[in-house]
Amino acid sequence: MKTADTIRVDQIADSVGKEIKLNPQNKRIRAYHYKNEKQEIYYFVNEDEAVYSGEIRVPYLESCYAYDAWNGTKMAQEYRAEKEDATILSMKLRLGESRIVVVEQEKETVSQLEKSLFEMMYGVEKEKIPVKKNWEIGTCRSIAYPKFSNFQPITKFEDYGKKEKKFSGFIAYRNQMERMTSELKWQLR
């Protein structure tokens, strides 16, 4: 039989929303905390129409990592302890993006994980990054998505629908760029 903590009705308002605090506040960020005998996770969803960049205060965690449910991979989650009663999670979420934060017992495995691509590139949109001029365009039919093929070099971006009137499917553009920082080197393809 499972048990749960109980509180009086007149104490509900004081206890709700005290566990998780956002800075800056945002009423469009949904936060859920799930805990059972085997595992503990936090689930955050950005329901706003803008990027959320801030910190989220949760009860103290020994260690944690982010889990990418779409790809089934673990990612680094930036966090720092605040005294012995709280942990501050650094959070950057695109509009509509969600983040699962898993509480981890072994800190060693967490330190070897990479950040999400969005977090690595956050703020880059204001920087000028040298991009090679070798743009390519590839296509795939809807049924073949995401297997793009037939990449061809292009010299300018133009309306593909005017060029290929009978085409129906997906279009992908690709190029390469590099960026060096003191923390990391990443490469996009």
Side-chain angles (χ1 to χ4, degrees):
M1 178 178 199
K2 293 185 178 182
T3 61
D5 295 331
T6 58
I7 59 173
R8 295 191 335 240
V9 172
D10 62 340
Q11 294 175 326
I12 291 176
D14 292 332
S15 66
V16 174
K18 302 285 185 191
E19 183 179 60
I20 301 171
K21 295 187 186 279
L22 281 72
N23 182 22
Q25 289 290 323
N26 186 319
K27 63 183 178 181
R28 303 286 297 164
I29 300 292
R30 301 292 172 251
Y32 304 96
H33 181 201
Y34 299 97
K35 184 177 182 178
N36 63 26
E37 302 84 26
K38 296 179 182 177
Q39 196 168 28
E40 181 176 5
I41 65 170
Y42 289 89
Y43 181 57
F44 303 99
V45 182
N46 182 1
E47 295 180 352
D48 204 349
E49 294 179 9
V51 169
Y52 177 79
S53 179
E55 294 181 330
I56 301 176
R57 185 179 194 270
V58 298
Y60 179 75
L61 309 174
E62 181 69 30
S63 182
C64 65
Y65 63 87
Y67 178 72
D68 180 351
W70 289 107
N71 298 312
T73 58
K74 295 178 180 181
M75 300 180 305
Q77 171 62 55
E78 283 188 40
Y79 67 96
R80 71 178 189 279
E82 184 178 85
K83 302 179 186 171
E84 294 249 345
D85 65 336
T87 297
I88 306 297
L89 304 172
S90 175
M91 195 70 60
K92 294 173 182 66
L93 296 172
R94 293 173 289 199
L95 53 134
E97 185 179 16
S98 63
R99 169 79 51 88
I100 298 170
V101 176
V102 180
V103 177
E104 180 71 9
Q105 304 303 323
E106 297 178 25
K107 197 170 190 173
E108 294 78 34
T109 60
V110 173
S111 63
Q112 299 167 0
L113 300 173
E114 292 186 2
K115 295 179 187 177
S116 72
L117 181 61
F118 176 68
E119 287 182 312
M120 286 192 285
M121 295 186 63
Y122 185 76
V124 171
E125 66 275 3
K126 296 176 184 146
E127 295 180 28
K128 291 186 178 180
I129 300 173
V131 178
K132 297 177 183 175
K133 296 181 181 180
N134 304 345
W135 282 96
E136 295 178 325
I137 187 170
T139 60
C140 77
R141 296 179 43 218
S142 298
I143 197 164
Y145 183 82
K147 295 180 182 172
F148 291 93
S149 61
N150 302 325
F151 277 91
Q152 300 292 321
I154 58 172
T155 56
K156 63 179 179 175
F157 295 100
E158 57 189 348
D159 187 342
Y160 195 78
K162 290 181 180 176
K163 182 179 172 186
E164 299 288 336
K165 296 189 184 299
K166 293 186 177 184
F167 175 76
S168 176
F170 292 93
I171 300 169
Y173 295 93
R174 75 179 179 189
N175 203 333
Q176 292 186 354
M177 67 178 86
E178 280 190 48
R179 177 174 185 236
M180 295 289 291
T181 67
S182 59
E183 292 181 5
L184 59 102
K185 174 184 176 182
W186 51 262
Q187 189 176 42
L188 294 177
R189 292 178 188 215

